[in-house]
Each structure stands twice: as structure tokens, then as C-alpha cells.
Amino acid sequence: MTIPRVDLPADARLETLAVREGLPPSPWGENSEALFVTSSFVHPDAATAARRFANEEEAFVYGRFSNPTVTMMERRLAALEGTEACIGTASGMAAILMLVLGLLKSGDHVVCSQSVFGTTIRLFTDFARFGLETTFVPQADVDAWRRAMRPNTKLLFAETPSNPLTEVCDIAALAEIAHAGGAQLVVDNCFCSPALQRPVSLGADIVMHSGTKYLDGQGRVVAGALCGRDEVVAQKFVPVMRTMGLTLSPFNAWVVLKGMETLAIRMRAQSERAFALAQWLEAQPGVERVYHPSLPSHPQHRLAMAQQGGVGGAVVSFVVNGGQGGREAAFAVIDATRVCSITTNLGDTKTTISHPASTSHGRLTEEQRQAAGIVQGMVRLAVGLEDLEDLKADLSRGLAILKR
Ligand SMILES: *Cc1c(COP(=O)(O)O)cnc(C)c1O
């Protein structure tokens, strides 16, 4: 026996796969995917159980490493990313941990962008204790990535666009560098999601996700995943899942599974609002600088548009007048909002507003922050689905105070 597949046309497109890929329904014929809340699965007889435990027969066995709801989420995400396989994990960080545990050993070397999610930097840095060395390079500087390569480099890790500056990496160029050096390229595709950007189609080997963000899309659960080739998932990641239990709960998988059904329309609608807000912010007298990949003023506008299907994503950052001395002004803009949620999460239908220098990037030294371009006057928006005019009015209140 193998676990059956949904009968879909081979050329089904992304928005169809987002709604339809998963598992065939159970004998009860449910139309919406079921949430299987069970820790183990029953076998018809002892010999079948033995075959299943020996991996000679594919079946659901035990909740630490297999569950039908989790499998549905994995198959759907793999279909969207255009990879053969996917493995769900307890969180985005658990996905990166699985990457390290599954692919790397003491003595190996990693090249990583210095602009990735702060906790990702900490994870790679912490693994120095186990003999893993990581070189951090400027996100957009392709030559710096190339120069950082060593004979023992096994992995390149990029996140594009980055948070909060929306800096973009050239995925195809990094894939070429990785493969020339016998290494693999991993892309954290959290900010674009497969609705806008499919890293594997540009040469990346593995796609990493925090399902917590746009895949769930409504700020409900924590989840993660790795997408890649069948043999890598089956031989490198599944054994880690079995022995180390970085398991995604069926409930969280179910929320992400259902969230993906609206992913493409959410990404488009939220990105449109973000772009409109970015253009509006650029024209505001209280604002010094705006960062969004759709703006022609973005340093990598053309690369971003080519790589992200012409869509900039839903994150916009801006610097209020005063730049580095603008902390009070940034706080005033944030505190004057009544619609936006003051939180660092993103990927929600609710617009979130945050002050990167004192929250998500608060653990960096002032020097590191300035090197990263994150000044005290910076405000980050992760735009949701509220009415655009209400969002403008929400930001106007604070910006009006600054003008006086
Ligand atoms: C949130 C986030 C992560 C970590 O994901 P968790 O689900 O919070 O563990 C990794 N990368 C990026 C870009 C993120 O935004």
C-alpha cells in the first residue's frame, strides 16, 4: 500500500493546487479537509505493522512523524513551491534546526546573509558550539557570497526580501555560486510565499517556511516547513523527525492547510495595499525614506520585480524625519494609530506596526543596527486587509503631529 494521491490534472495551476492538493477524502466523503486528532494509527495485523515499521510499506504509524492532516499540508505546500516533497515542523525555527541537524556536521561551513531573521542568525551562531562555522555576508552583494565560499561550505542560506528593509538577493546568482562550490542553496520564502516567488524555479535546492506568517495568514498558529527533493526529505529530514520530534501539531497543520486556500488572493490584495501606502508615504512631508520593492526608488527594484512576479509583498518600512534621532517621532506615529496592531508579527490580515530598532532588532548593538541600516526613526508596517483609506488616516494622525 502507498498513501493515495488526489486525482488532479498534471497541469493544475497554483490557485487550484492551493485549494485541492492534499489527500483524497476519508470514506465519509468530507469536502473540507479533516483534522485527524490521534497520536497513533491501527494496523490490520502484526505482519502489516512490522512492514510499516520497517518502512517497507507506506502508511500512517505514529503522530511524531506522520499524520494525515500534516501530510495534506505538506503536499499542498510542496505543490505550491513546485518541489517533490515537504516536511512540516513545529515552527519556522524548528525547520532551520532540522536543516542543520539533517544536512550538516561539525567542521562544515555555512554562508548566510547578515539580513536574515534575527533568531536565524542566533541559531547559526549558537551552532559554533557544535563545530559549525557560519560567515555572514551583505544580503545584496553577490561577490561577497562568492568570496565567502570555502572547500567545506555545504549550505548558503538566504531570505528575500529581508526584514525590515526589504533588501533582495539574486536567487539565481546565489544558486550558481552554491552549486559551483558543491553546496546547496536554502531560501527562507516567508516574505513572498510561493504565491509571488518560487525559489526552486530559480535554482534553489530547499525552501524554508515559517507557516506562522502568510501561509496561515491570519496570525493564529506557529508552524514551519522545509520543501525540497524527495530523497532529501525522505533520507535527511524524516529520520531527524523520527528521532528528534520537531513535530508540527495536526491542529496547526490544519490551520495552515486551510490558510493556503486564500494565500494567492491575500498576497495580491495585501501587496497592492502595501504599494499604495508606500507611494503615499513617499509623498508625506514627515517621512524621510520609504522601503518597498515596488517603488522605483528601491535599490533593487528591477531584480525584485523580476524575481517576485512583479509584486512587492506586503511589508513596507519608512523612516520619519530625524532618521537616527527619530526614535521619539517613530514612537509617536506608532502610538497615534488606532487601527494597526502594535506587534512585530507579520503575515496577518490585521495590519501590524512596529519599531524594529527596539523590538525585532533590539538585541543588536547600535553599531550592528546602523550597519544594517535600521535607524531609530524607522517604522515597519506589515500591511493587512483593512481599507486603504483607513490605514492612511491611521498613519496621518501621527505624521500630522510631526509636521507641527
Ligand atoms: C518569523 C520568521 C521566522 C521564524 O519562524 P517561527 O515560526 O516564528 O519560528 C523565520 N524567518 C522569517 C523571515 C520570519 O519572519
Side-chain angles (χ1 to χ4, degrees):
M1 188 189 109
T2 54
I3 296 168
R5 301 210 64 103
V6 181
D7 183 22
L8 284 170
D11 60 353
R13 296 172 177 82
L14 185 129
E15 285 180 64
T16 303
L17 297 168
V19 175
R20 296 284 172 180
E21 185 56 284
L23 286 172
S26 79
W28 311 122
E30 69 280 0
N31 192 36
S32 180
E33 293 77 2
L35 170 53
F36 289 89
V37 183
T38 177
S39 49
S40 75
F41 297 83
V42 176
H43 314 287
D45 50 61
T48 306
R51 281 198 304 280
R52 290 174 176 179
F53 272 81
N55 272 338
E56 290 163 11
E57 178 178 312
E58 194 186 30
F60 295 104
V61 172
Y62 181 58
R64 191 187 329 107
F65 48 88
S66 59
N67 174 285
T69 308
V70 177
T71 297
M72 287 191 269
M73 182 244 137
E74 292 168 340
R75 286 187 174 180
R76 187 167 290 179
L77 183 54
L80 300 191
E81 286 291 358
T83 59
E84 291 170 352
C86 167
I87 188 162
T89 55
S91 66
M93 293 318 300
I96 304 178
L97 179 59
M98 168 160 300
L99 197 64
V100 173
L101 296 172
L103 299 179
L104 302 170
K105 61 180 190 316
S106 173
D108 285 346
H109 176 243
V110 174
V111 183
C112 182
S113 157
Q114 68 189 17
S115 305
V116 296
F117 188 62
T119 314
T120 305
I121 294 183
R122 279 187 88 99
L123 186 146
F124 281 120
T125 307
D126 280 353
F127 263 91
R129 286 191 287 140
F130 301 101
L132 183 70
E133 226 188 318
T134 304
T135 305
F136 294 98
V137 294
Q139 169 97 343
D141 184 348
V142 173
D143 285 331
W145 288 81
R146 192 176 288 117
R147 281 196 304 274
M149 294 295 288
R150 297 185 198 163
N152 59 339
T153 305
K154 294 288 161 57
L155 212 70
L156 278 67
F157 189 99
E159 175 190 317
T160 181
S162 70
N163 178 33
L165 293 174
T166 68
E167 286 175 290
V168 173
C169 322
D170 186 338
I171 296 174
L174 297 189
E176 218 179 290
I177 294 170
H179 299 156
Q184 301 195 67
L185 173 65
V186 182
V187 175
D188 179 337
N189 201 23
C190 185
F191 267 53
C192 275
S193 90
L196 306 186
Q197 170 174 279
R198 293 169 112 185
V200 167
S201 72
L202 299 165
D205 300 281
I206 294 168
V207 179
M208 175 255 145
H209 270 287
S210 167
T212 317
K213 313 296 167 52
Y214 293 99
L215 300 184
D216 165 4
Q218 292 182 55
R220 297 166 293 192
V221 299
V222 172
L226 293 174
C227 303
R229 286 186 291 278
D230 248 336
E231 61 170 47
V232 175
V233 172
Q235 288 167 24
K236 305 292 184 186
F237 299 147
V238 170
V240 174
M241 188 61 86
R242 283 184 95 122
T243 53
M244 302 188 194
L246 305 171
T247 315
L248 173 60
S249 88
F251 178 76
N252 290 4
W254 181 78
V255 170
V256 172
L257 174 74
K258 301 305 285 180
M260 279 191 274
E261 295 184 3
T262 54
L263 176 67
I265 54 173
R266 280 187 285 105
M267 287 310 296
R268 275 201 298 274
Q270 291 176 227
S271 298
E272 268 168 31
R273 282 165 174 73
F275 182 29
L277 263 187
Q279 288 173 303
W280 176 82
L281 281 164
E282 265 194 334
Q284 299 309 301
V287 174
E288 204 171 275
R289 175 131 197 222
V290 183
Y291 297 89
H292 187 266
S294 290
L295 293 173
S297 61
H298 188 283
Q300 299 150 288
H301 172 66
R302 286 183 50 191
L303 170 63
M305 292 298 96
Q307 201 163 262
Q308 302 173 196
V311 183
V315 173
V316 185
S317 293
F318 61 97
V319 178
V320 294
N321 285 343
Q324 177 58 14
R327 181 179 174 119
E328 249 180 80
F331 277 24
V333 170
I334 292 168
D335 291 345
T337 59
R338 283 158 50 193
V339 173
C340 296
S341 308
I342 305 176
T343 172
T344 54
N345 195 33
L346 62 106
D348 200 321
T349 48
K350 294 180 169 68
T351 298
T352 64
I353 190 165
S354 65
H355 181 250
S358 62
T359 58
S360 50
H361 296 72
R363 287 194 289 185
L364 302 182
T365 64
E366 192 53 59
E367 213 172 30
Q368 287 173 315
R369 259 197 304 274
Q370 288 197 25
I374 298 160
V375 296
Q376 291 290 341
M378 178 173 287
V379 175
R380 192 206 71 189
L381 290 167
V383 180
L385 284 177
E386 298 94 340
D387 188 282
L388 179 61
E389 296 309 315
D390 290 336
L391 293 175
K392 285 182 190 168
D394 212 33
L395 295 168
S396 289
R397 266 190 294 279
L399 291 171
I401 305 171
L402 303 187
K403 270 185 281 177
R404 273 191 254 125

